[in-house]
Every structure is written in C-alpha cells, then in structure tokens.
Amino acid sequence: MTDIYSPSRRTTEGPVYTVTGGDWDTVIGGDPIGEERIVLNMGPQHPSTHGVLRIVLELEGETVTDARVVVGYLHTGIEKNTEFRTWTQGVTFLTRADYLSPFFNETAYCLGVEKLLGIEAPPRAQLIRVLMMELNRISSHWVWLATGGMELGALTAMTNGFRARERVLDVFELITGLRMNHAYIRPGGVAQDLPEGAEVKIRELIKDTRTELAGVDKLLRGQAIWVDRLKGVGWIGVEGCLSLGITGPLLRAAGLPWDMRKTEPYLGYETFDFEVPTDDRGDCWSRFVVRVAEMWESLRIVEQVLDRLEPGPTMVDDPKIGWPARLALGPDGMGNSLQHVQKIMNTSMESLIHHFKLVTEGFRVPAGQVYSAVESPRGELGAHVVSDGSTRPYRVHFREPSFINLQATATLSIGGLVADVIASIASIDPVMGGCDR
Amino acid sequence: MTTPPRPDNLPDGPVDQPAAQAQPVTSPAGGPVDPIGVERRGMFGIEGTGDTTGFGGLIREPWRPPEATRPYGGYFDEVVDALLAIVPELNGQLQVVVDRDELTLHIPRELVAKVARACRDNASLRFELLSSLSGVDYIGTEKRLHAVYQLTSMTYRRRIRLEVSVTVEDPHIPSVTPIYPTADWQERETYDMFGIVFDGHPALTRILMPDDWDGFPQRKDYPLGGIPVQYKGATIPPPDERRVYR
C-alpha cells in the first residue's frame, strides 16, 4: 500500500508512518488499538506545560511508558549576568529567575551576601522580608491553583485564583512600586520602608484572601471531577523525593514535615507560631491539600508580623553598604528620596562621595563562599555565592527547586494515563523562569 | 579572617612576601593545602598606601581561605572524624576549610563516590539530600574547575560542602548520580556550563544550552560578545573587557 499522504518506512522497531492526511484507517490497517507505540511531543509551547516546558511522551495506547523532560528554553544566563554587575545589582537579575516568587530569590541571595559580609539586617527589615515572602508564598500558590485548575478544566478556580493573586500583587505594588521583579530586598536590608497605609491594606488583603480561599476550597474540595482527577494520581513517596532531591510541598505531601522555616530557621522564623502542613498520600490530591493549608498558615504569619512591626531602620547602619535604602517610592516608581538628594547636594560632601562611590562602584565583599537557603513555595531555594573580594559576585548559583523537582516528572507520569501527566506536572508547580535561569 | 600575604607593586608600599612563595599550609589532616580560589585586590579597594588614584594596579592572585584548626567547632569535628574513620584513604588528602560557619571539605576526585556514599549511608553522617551541585571556575589556579556539592543531613540537620577541583585539560570527575539520583540534571548543568565531565553519568548531555552549542559559557575565559554600534565606527566591548571597578 502506498499512500502519498502517509508514506511509511520500515525501521528496526516496525513501520513508522508519517501521516499528513486524515485517513487513519488505511494507515493503521485492521487493528486500531494494536501494539502501536506513539511518541508524543508536548510543548514547549503548550498551554498545559506551565510555560516553555517540553515533554516527550512515549505512549502505549493511552498509557505513558516513558517520559523525557526537555528544559532550557528559557535560559537567560542570569547567573552569568550577575558576574558583571555589582552585588546590589545582582538582586535585579535574580528576582527575575523564578518570577512567581521574586522575594524568595532576593532573600536567598541577600542572606548569602550578608553572610559573606558578616552583617545582619536590622529587625524591622527582617520582619518586612518575612512579611513579603509569606505574601509571596500566597500569591505563588494562587498561581499554582489557578493554572492547575485551568489545566484540569476548573476554569472558575483560574479566574478566582488570578483575581485573588492580583490583590496580593496590588499590595506588592504599593510597597515596592512593581507587581513583579521587585528588587526590593537588598544586601543589608530592604530598599525602603513600608509606605503609609500599607498595614491597613495588608489587613484588608488578609481578610479578602481568607474569604477567597474559603470559597475556592468549598468549590474544589468536594468537587467530584477535581477529586477524581487528583486522588491516586502522580504518586511519589518520601524515599523517591529524597533520592531525587525533591523538597517543598511534594515532600511534605509524601509525609515528611521538612520545612526549613522550622528545621533551619532563618530571619527569626523560629519565633512565629505556625504549623507545617503535611499529608500522607503522596499524590496530587495531597499536594493540593498541603498547598492550600500552607496558604492559611502564611496568613497567620503575616498577621503576626504586622502585630510585631516596630518603627526602626530598614537597612544596616553602614554608609559603606547602605545606600540602596535611601530610596523612596515616587509617582514613577522607586528612586532616590528627595530627602537623600537634598542631603547629598546641599549639606554633606561626605555623603555625596559615598553616594557616588556606592552607585558607580558598589561595595566590596570579602573573598569566600557561602550557601544560603530559604524555603520557597516550591522547596529549598539555595544560593551558592562566591566572592573573590571585588565589587561583583565571582559566581552565583541558584539551587532552583523547579529545576530539581522536574526530575520527578518521569516518576510521576510513567504507568499512568496521558491525561494524568497534566495533573502531575501541575502538582509539581514548576516555574520555567526559575528552572532555566 | 587571616589575610594571605600579597605582592604589592607600589614602590612606597609595604613589601610583602608573595603568596606563591609562602610555605604551604598544612591542614590538620596532614596534606598540603593547594590554592583554592582567586582573590582580587587593587584599584580603589587598595589597602595600605592610601593610594586612591585608581591606578593602584589590579592584582589577581591565588587565594587561600583561612586555615582551619582543631577544634573546628560545632558538629564539624564529628563529621570530619567520622569521614576519616570510614574512608581512611582521605588521611593526608583532605583539606578542611571552615569559613563563615560553613565546613568545606576539599577531596581528591578519585574519592568522590566513596565519600558521597559514606556521607549518605553512614549512621553517624546521614547526609540524605544532595542539595546542590554546581561548578565554579577559579581561573588562574592550576586546578581551576571546581565541582561543589552541598550536602544536607535531614536527620542531624547539618550541612557540609564537598569540593573537587580538576584541570581544564583533564576535567573528569566520577559521577555521583548512582548515589544521589538528584545529581542527574545538576551534573548535566555543570557539564553544560563548565565542561566538567562526570564519568559514569547515564546521559551526560547539555541541558540548558542548545545541544549544538560550542564552548562552556560559565567558564571565566569564555568569550563574551560586544555590541557593534552603527555610530562612527564605535563599538561597545564585551562586558569582561570594559573599564570597570574591581
């Protein structure tokens, strides 16, 4: 049989058809189910692959027999770029890595730089960091819920989720001037203090988020399709997680309460009252349960931070490092505060010199290397920061939880149905900006 | 932090003994400590003479972190003792660095797999998680390519760092993928960016860069592109050749 629309050729693995027409019957012959192996390419431009993730699936009928993940489509050389900018400017790049959790990137890096410098941010800056990170955890989990819901057909989860996330981003905009890519957390503290009225807005946000969260929870938790699509799908146990290096909600959904906010506290997390939600099923459903519970816990932490905030400096009191805090939020975004400009232009020559040196040259960081890690919404986010004693990082490497966790794709997918691959990937919650950096 | 001796080419500056001629520091475990990184000095960061002209001259020299002496503090002694007991070959080959409350063990590449297995399996070590594996290129030193392993013990809540250095001519390190499967992609990335070949890796291919890419972008001598600007023949040099503060 020769068909000009679907020529076939024989290979060692059987006939391979290149189908261009729609005449499937004549191609497959008498047995449409048969022992036919299909290699299906999914992505990198596919609405259900969370950005530019590409998966090559091998199918036997509807069952996945092999899954290979291809990453790198969003590689932007962020790590290399930081080597040609000052230590402060490094934040501007790294905040763009995992664009759904910018404050975590900034904090991991800044904690590393501060460890190298041997300094510690003032208490108010630390509290603001915790505040921003926990709000960020909520906004990141909202995106997971929204996109994950959309991929499984729960479109109301998407619209409600993005609506709720947008409210969090409004608060970010109020505080940092930007919805995303804030570069707000800087080595030594934060770029500027909370603006007036921020606390009121955040309290409103907490109230709104509770309502929204309860609504989505009510919408999804008992929903038969949602339950069927998630329960028993994409299983991975604690041993699998540990050997594949998987941390974060996936590990906690498998039953190990490993959360670095509790196990290796940083920024005073040991003083906050919150739980580490876990579940014991290790499937997509458990990850849903764990992440939703985490959002409730984050709200608790945010409230405690608001109760504790005391006036004080937001940047280390060291003029050799602290310039970036002399900023203010103007109508066109963040810039030098009027007060600071008046000081350096009118009254203090020394301040002008310091300003000039810090802006053009940056500060020096003593040679050495450190590894600092924070618990991001996706797991352990580590920054390996190396200095050679100059005004620029010698090397910055990010241990990205998206990158590491995506290694579980094959484990979660093989043996399941092709439709469940979507649910599994959504439950990993990868962000390709972070994965590929 | 002890400052390593440095050469100073200014006539009126203090004349220090160059680092290259300094006696090798002997680590407590017995072996000589090789230069481990590079350190920049000079330009505006110059110390000593008070020269702020910016023409102090840029010196980049092999740099050694401060010598670690017993007791290392905290759990570090326990980890080092346990490792030396399980892997006796390490005696005399182990370089211990304690810096900023972090323990770094520089080990020879032949022992990577053995040390990693001991770290994972031994009851007194229990480093279940390989948190991160990446590379650093310390250009200017002999074994300039370093592979850095961040190990986490969930049982004891400890972290240590293993470091292995190789030359560009012979960039082979045994893979730890059989011991820590999470190293799979991380070794691929390190190969992709630094050209370190992990022997025994199931499929060591590029991961972030395109498959047919030439060169290893994160190496310090990797050529960077400048931007040709159509303005009276002006060009912008690549970032690493621009005039900058160091």
Side-chain angles (χ1 to χ4, degrees), chain A residues 367-436:
Chain A
Q369 60 176 334
V370 294
Y371 178 80
S372 61
V374 298
E375 184 74 31
S376 92
R378 277 160 273 283
E380 175 179 337
L381 176 73
H384 178 219
V385 186
V386 185
S387 174
D388 66 345
S390 74
T391 57
R392 300 153 167 217
Y394 190 72
R395 164 109 170 103
V396 177
H397 173 73
F398 259 45
R399 186 262 190 223
E400 250 299 330
S402 299
F403 183 73
I404 309 287
N405 292 359
L406 269 175
Q407 295 190 83
T409 309
T411 312
L412 298 180
S413 312
I414 291 175
L417 299 179
V418 64
D420 291 341
V421 174
I422 307 293
S424 299
I425 293 170
S427 76
I428 297 177
D429 189 23
V431 174
M432 298 317 288
C435 172
D436 295 343

Side-chain angles (χ1 to χ4, degrees), chain A residues 81-347:
Chain A
N81 268 312
T82 56
E83 294 170 14
F84 300 97
R85 299 290 187 283
T86 65
W87 289 95
T88 307
Q89 287 169 328
V91 177
T92 318
F93 278 94
L94 295 167
T95 189
R96 283 156 171 80
D98 182 342
Y99 44 80
L100 292 185
S101 57
F103 290 115
F104 292 91
N105 303 341
E106 296 169 19
T107 309
Y109 168 73
C110 289
L111 286 177
V113 177
E114 285 163 11
K115 204 169 179 185
L116 279 170
L117 282 166
I119 58 170
E120 199 175 45
R124 185 174 169 86
Q126 297 200 8
L127 280 175
I128 294 176
R129 285 179 181 179
V130 172
L131 173 81
M132 300 309 269
M133 282 199 291
E134 292 310 319
L135 287 175
N136 200 175
R137 192 183 311 277
I138 296 167
S139 77
S140 173
H141 280 356
W142 273 127
V143 176
W144 154 77
L145 191 66
T147 52
M150 178 193 69
E151 284 155 15
L152 300 184
L155 285 178
T156 316
M158 182 194 71
T159 51
N160 287 15
F162 273 115
R163 183 178 68 192
R165 176 210 184 211
E166 206 59 36
R167 291 206 186 112
V168 185
L169 297 191
D170 285 346
V171 168
F172 288 165
E173 192 177 2
L174 176 79
I175 295 170
T176 71
L178 292 165
R179 289 168 71 247
M180 296 167 83
N181 308 331
H182 315 275
Y184 175 69
I185 294 164
R186 307 276 177 98
V190 296
Q192 55 169 348
D193 207 345
L194 298 177
E196 252 177 72
E199 198 187 322
V200 180
K201 286 274 181 204
I202 296 169
R203 290 209 189 267
E204 276 172 27
L205 171 71
I206 294 173
K207 204 164 146 258
D208 285 350
T209 307
R210 290 223 159 102
T211 316
E212 198 77 67
L213 206 47
V216 171
D217 209 64
K218 202 173 169 187
L219 179 74
L220 292 177
R221 199 173 289 260
Q223 218 271 349
I225 301 174
W226 184 254
V227 175
D228 283 352
R229 289 298 305 273
L230 295 186
K231 273 197 178 160
V233 169
W235 180 85
I236 187 164
V238 173
E239 322 83 63
C241 284
L242 287 188
S243 65
L244 287 171
I246 289 158
T247 48
L250 272 79
L251 181 57
R252 293 193 285 273
L256 190 71
W258 179 260
D259 185 323
M260 283 164 37
R261 294 176 294 172
K262 287 281 188 198
T263 55
E264 296 170 317
Y266 49 93
L267 294 174
Y269 265 112
E270 68 274 17
T271 61
F272 291 100
D273 176 27
F274 67 102
E275 303 290 324
V276 176
T278 54
D279 207 34
D280 52 2
R281 299 173 58 97
D283 57 4
C284 292
W285 176 259
S286 279
R287 286 163 218 149
F288 163 71
V289 172
V290 164
R291 283 202 179 94
V292 170
E294 270 178 22
M295 290 164 82
W296 289 104
E297 294 301 322
S298 289
L299 285 172
R300 282 177 66 192
I301 300 176
V302 171
E303 273 186 332
Q304 292 172 50
V305 172
L306 289 179
D307 292 341
R308 283 190 205 178
L309 273 180
E310 303 264 349
T314 55
M315 178 57 86
V316 283
D317 184 24
D318 184 347
K320 298 271 185 205
I321 297 169
W323 160 70
R326 314 282 193 273
L327 298 182
L329 191 59
D332 55 348
M334 199 155 56
N336 287 313
S337 75
L338 188 62
Q339 199 192 359
H340 178 59
V341 173
Q342 276 169 348
K343 187 183 175 200
I344 63 172
M345 297 310 286
N346 295 334
T347 59

Side-chain angles (χ1 to χ4, degrees), chain A residues 71 80 83 115-116 243-244 264 364 366-367 369 371 380 388 390 392 394-395 399 404 407 437, chain B residues 38 40 44-45 100 102 131 135 137 139 159 163 181-182 185-186 189 207 217-220 244 246:
Chain A
V71 299
K80 181 85 173 174
E83 294 170 14
K115 204 169 179 185
L116 279 170
S243 65
L244 287 171
E264 296 170 317
R364 254 170 213 84
Q369 60 176 334
Y371 178 80
E380 175 179 337
D388 66 345
S390 74
R392 300 153 167 217
Y394 190 72
R395 164 109 170 103
R399 186 262 190 223
I404 309 287
Q407 295 190 83
R437 284 153 289 145
Chain B
V38 288
R40 278 174 174 163
F44 283 143
R100 276 113 169 160
E102 294 186 10
S131 275
D137 177 11
I139 196 167
R159 282 176 190 271
E163 204 164 323
T182 181
W185 283 20
Q186 305 190 55
E189 189 194 335
I207 185 163
Q218 285 272 15
R219 283 193 183 172
K220 287 284 179 182
V244 287
R246 300 285 173 185

Side-chain angles (χ1 to χ4, degrees), chain A residues 40-44 46 48-49 53-57 421-422 425:
Chain A
L40 180 72
N41 178 62
M42 206 171 109
H46 188 281
S48 294
T49 55
L53 175 65
R54 179 178 163 213
I55 306 159
V56 183
L57 295 169
V421 174
I422 307 293
I425 293 170

